[in-house]
Amino acid sequence: MTLSPVSAYLRSGSQLLAPTSITLAVTKLTLCSLAIYACTSLFHAFFMSSLRHIPGPWYTKFTGIVRKYHAWRHKEHHYFIHLFERYGPIVRVGPTKVGVGEITMFRKMMSSHEMPKSQMYTDFSAVGENIFTTRSPEFNKARRRQIGPAFASAYVRKMEPLIMSEGVDQVCRLFDTQICAAKHMGQDRAVTNLYYAFTMMATDVISSLAYGRRFGAVDTLVTKAEASLQLSQQSTPRQSQETKVASEAPLQQSQQSTARPSQDLGVSENHASFESQETSHTVLEYMIGTMMLMGLMAEAPFINALPQRLLPQGIQRLFALRDNFMRFTCTTVGQYRSWMALQRTSGKSEARNNILSAYISAQDPETGATLSDREIASESTVLLAAGTDTTANIMVNSVRLLLSHPEKYARVRDELRAAFPNGAETITYVTAIEKLPYLSAVIYETLRLRASTSGVWPRDAPRHSGVSIGGHFIPPGTVICGSIGGVHLNPETWPTPKLFVPERFLGAEGELRKRNVVAFSAGVRVCPGRHLAMMELVMTLSTVLLKYDLDLISSPAVPATDYFAKVDEVCHITTTFRHPERDCNFYISRNTC
């Protein structure tokens, strides 16, 4: 049957309106729109973007996924350094991200509150807003007015006796116990893991100062060493030279410890006796869980927005440990506050030269505002996070670098033993600075070459005006990533930047060069604890290098000029060893000179 023209027209129309035809048409339209959008975006990225003139890999014009890949591998700091070596001190790392690795540019981006911290800092504020995580210039200014006196150089020097008794003396007690155990097994030297020893020591120092009580972290390692000593006294000296006295992870070592945290809440013999249900192991477990949560939130900030019941059990446990640690800290602060009030009402004028007492007494001179227990808990926790692993890394790297350069190690030992010939003196910070210029140079060179802060520290470009850096205009909406590692390895500032040359910090010119070491950042957000960190570094390294002889377990596998190739490190918030249980073991014996 032949269709009429009208019927044929209606049938063709119904075919055009069939679901398959509509879907195909929508798909074609969507693909066409996406293609137009992609072409437009690429055209803008390559030819119209305000960042198009900044050098960098071609793919960074439209994606930052390569940088993110390296960040997830915890190698972002190496990625930035590689780009600086190839493209220069300012480099594009994403559509709206720029990296800076030169001292003048770095100082400019850190010099004022016009370039505030980026969103990254808010992402890992697992313990609340504090001086490190805040992005608010007003909050930062007010908090620095409150806690600044606690970190002033003059006040930090009053803490020197606590640093020595609760830190340096404790780690020496650990080393002596390990050496004694080794001798009972017929060995002339022990094997110690310096990373764990120094990390636990730094934990005890910060807890003594910021919590009013030593957590007993070093005690967990001493307990292990004492167990080895008791075992060696019951056995014959048949064990090999490679016996490792302290190479297990600290948490594993502490599981047998039941000692309570030190009740050292005062400075005189009249200590307040506060009861605590937590053992040293429990407190350390709280602390480690809190630190792990902070790092995890920095990498996956979305977990903080999800209901905890939807998270894996492992992450839920980290949140629980964080909550327990904050409860413990708030309780500790409240008890210490009550004890200080009791001291005042009883007319006692006992000196309390620690950070916690300074926090409790802190008052904003402009507004009169004081700190609550929760605010002090947040500040103390971030101080613990920032002042333990970082300090330990510098100490271990100082020793490793010295031992990789025997002539420099000999020079440090000669300097120490000439200044302190009987080897039994207590080395104060002021004395060390006056008598040990080469050791000071070693510390600065390690801070330059192996800074724990060698990652990137992002700032937002000024919201309304943008900024000019390195001859390039950086528009609003751009994140500027200051690379401390890049600054410290810039060949324009540092000749032979990858060589370990402490001599560059000697003399009058060396003093000027120290200003270009920005391991503690710079400008308005410079680390307030820098004086405390330097005192701890100088006192610990001078004492340990004077009293003990150290040696590498094995000869370097690669030339000393290629230190970066032989150290497997990771960069979370800070840079540390990937395998400290493997890479931080050293021979140690008592100095017999």
Side-chain angles (χ1 to χ4, degrees):
M1 181 177 65
T2 303
L3 293 175
S4 66
V6 174
S7 299
Y9 175 77
L10 291 175
R11 175 171 292 189
S12 64
S14 65
Q15 292 173 348
L16 289 174
L17 296 175
T20 303
S21 300
I22 294 175
T23 301
L24 183 59
V26 170
T27 301
K28 289 181 178 179
L29 180 61
T30 301
L31 291 175
C32 184
S33 300
L34 289 175
I36 293 172
Y37 174 78
C39 292
T40 304
S41 298
L42 289 174
F43 180 82
H44 180 272
F46 279 89
F47 302 107
M48 302 296 291
S49 171
S50 300
L51 301 178
R52 65 187 182 278
H53 298 301
I54 296 179
W58 61 270
Y59 54 80
T60 59
K61 297 180 184 296
F62 59 89
T63 181
I65 194 171
V66 176
R67 180 201 62 80
K68 193 65 178 176
Y69 165 75
H70 287 283
W72 275 89
R73 292 181 64 243
H74 307 301
K75 293 288 186 180
E76 185 180 23
H77 58 312
H78 284 178
Y79 173 67
F80 271 78
I81 290 171
H82 169 73
L83 293 183
F84 292 138
E85 291 174 344
R86 182 172 180 180
Y87 296 100
I90 182 168
V91 61
R92 191 172 183 179
V93 295
T96 59
K97 274 189 170 61
V98 171
V100 165
E102 191 272 334
I103 185 62
T104 304
M105 301 181 200
F106 184 84
R107 284 198 181 116
K108 183 171 184 177
M109 63 175 287
M110 299 290 181
S111 63
S112 76
H113 290 293
E114 290 185 0
M115 286 181 273
K117 288 186 172 182
S118 73
Q119 179 64 35
M120 181 194 80
Y121 291 87
T122 302
D123 291 341
F124 57 72
S125 56
V127 295
E129 189 176 20
N130 50 59
I131 196 168
F132 180 68
T133 62
T134 185
R135 300 179 65 199
S136 166
E138 291 72 23
F139 183 99
N140 177 63
K141 293 174 185 177
R143 188 54 52 88
R144 284 179 181 267
R145 291 195 298 267
Q146 290 173 312
I147 72 173
F151 297 100
S153 180
Y155 187 74
V156 167
R157 289 182 183 178
K158 295 179 181 179
M159 305 180 204
E160 191 169 317
L162 269 178
I163 295 174
M164 180 59 70
S165 64
E166 302 303 304
V168 180
D169 288 349
Q170 299 302 318
V171 81
C172 289
R173 178 168 66 97
L174 168 64
F175 294 152
D176 289 342
T177 305
Q178 292 173 332
I179 293 169
C180 186
K183 287 184 177 180
H184 275 83
M185 290 187 286
Q187 303 167 8
D188 59 356
R189 54 186 179 176
V191 176
T192 189
N193 188 294
L194 289 185
Y195 175 82
Y196 294 144
F198 288 145
T199 297
M200 295 307 207
M201 185 209 76
T203 299
D204 279 347
V205 169
I206 297 299
S207 62
S208 297
L209 297 176
Y211 291 77
R213 61 180 69 190
R214 184 168 63 85
F215 286 173
V218 173
D219 296 342
T220 63
L221 300 182
V222 173
T223 299
K224 177 70 175 180
E226 287 176 342
S228 296
L229 177 58
Q230 292 173 1
L231 181 63
S232 68
Q233 291 172 337
Q234 301 170 3
S235 60
T236 57
R238 295 177 299 177
Q239 301 189 34
S240 70
Q241 182 75 12
E242 311 303 325
T243 300
K244 295 185 179 180
V245 178
S247 61
E248 289 94 356
L251 192 57
Q252 295 174 336
Q253 292 177 319
S254 67
Q255 288 176 346
Q256 302 301 320
S257 174
T258 57
R260 293 188 181 279
S262 170
Q263 302 298 326
D264 195 13
L265 296 170
V267 180
S268 77
E269 59 185 5
N270 299 318
H271 300 318
S273 60
F274 299 154
E275 290 300 323
S276 171
Q277 298 302 316
E278 286 86 355
T279 64
S280 294
H281 167 62
T282 303
V283 174
L284 291 174
E285 188 178 26
Y286 292 167
M287 181 194 75
I288 293 171
T290 303
M291 304 304 110
M292 291 176 64
L293 180 63
M294 293 174 68
L296 181 63
M297 289 176 64
E299 297 175 356
F302 61 85
I303 65 174
N304 202 33
L306 296 175
Q308 289 189 23
R309 64 180 182 276
L310 299 180
L311 298 172
Q313 285 191 346
I315 298 179
Q316 290 185 42
R317 174 167 170 74
L318 294 182
F319 276 99
L321 292 172
R322 186 275 312 270
D323 294 341
N324 286 336
F325 191 60
M326 292 303 290
R327 173 193 52 76
F328 166 80
T329 304
C330 287
T331 300
T332 299
V333 174
Q335 291 174 334
Y336 200 99
R337 191 189 295 273
S338 298
W339 177 74
M340 287 180 62
L342 181 62
Q343 294 293 102
R344 288 194 299 269
T345 57
S346 62
K348 297 181 180 180
S349 58
E350 183 178 341
R352 295 173 296 274
N353 296 319
N354 62 26
I355 293 171
L356 180 55
S357 61
Y359 279 176
I360 292 173
S361 304
Q363 190 174 47
D364 188 334
E366 294 185 8
T367 65
T370 58
L371 296 172
S372 68
D373 290 356
R374 182 75 184 187
E375 289 173 326
I376 293 175
S378 180
E379 296 294 346
S380 295
T381 302
V382 78
L383 178 63
L384 189 66
T388 52
D389 184 66
T390 52
T391 305
N393 284 329
I394 295 300
M395 292 181 188
V396 177
N397 276 307
S398 294
V399 172
R400 181 180 285 278
L401 285 165
L402 282 172
L403 296 178
S404 298
H405 300 77
E407 73 287 355
K408 301 183 189 303
Y409 178 47
R411 182 170 178 177
V412 166
R413 291 200 304 173
D414 291 345
E415 180 183 69
L416 276 162
R417 291 163 191 180
F420 307 98
N422 65 25
E425 297 97 330
T426 296
I427 305 177
T428 65
Y429 177 70
V430 172
T431 302
I433 294 300
E434 291 176 352
K435 293 186 176 182
L436 306 173
Y438 194 72
L439 176 62
S440 177
V442 167
I443 292 173
Y444 269 94
E445 180 69 341
T446 306
L447 286 169
R448 182 193 70 82
L449 191 59
R450 307 300 304 172
S452 298
T453 53
S454 60
V456 295
W457 305 94
R459 298 291 188 270
D460 291 340
R463 182 179 303 176
H464 302 294
S465 61
V467 66
S468 180
I469 293 182
H472 298 277
F473 175 71
I474 311 296
T478 303
V479 176
I480 308 170
C481 301
S483 167
I484 291 178
V487 171
H488 287 169
L489 295 176
N490 188 300
E492 297 298 320
T493 306
W494 309 100
T496 60
K498 290 189 176 182
L499 295 185
F500 179 63
V501 187
E503 290 78 7
R504 70 174 93 232
F505 291 106
L506 295 176
E509 291 187 3
E511 289 299 317
L512 294 176
R513 292 192 185 100
K514 290 178 181 180
R515 300 176 184 177
N516 292 332
V517 175
V518 290
F520 300 104
S521 192
V524 295
R525 301 299 294 265
V526 67
C527 174
R530 61 194 182 280
H531 299 305
L532 175 61
M534 285 301 297
M535 176 175 284
E536 193 176 349
L537 288 170
V538 169
M539 291 175 63
T540 304
L541 285 173
S542 60
T543 301
V544 170
L545 293 173
L546 174 65
K547 290 185 175 182
Y548 304 96
D549 290 323
L550 294 152
D551 201 359
L552 296 171
I553 294 291
S554 59
S555 300
V558 295
T561 55
D562 194 13
Y563 185 77
F564 283 81
K566 62 178 291 190
V567 178
D568 190 3
E569 62 181 10
V570 292
C571 183
H572 297 279
I573 299 173
T574 56
T575 305
T576 186
F577 295 91
R578 183 183 293 275
H579 300 290
E581 77 289 345
R582 182 194 68 191
D583 298 334
C584 300
N585 296 305
F586 297 84
Y587 288 125
I588 188 169
S589 59
R590 265 285 186 175
N591 168 31
T592 57
C593 296

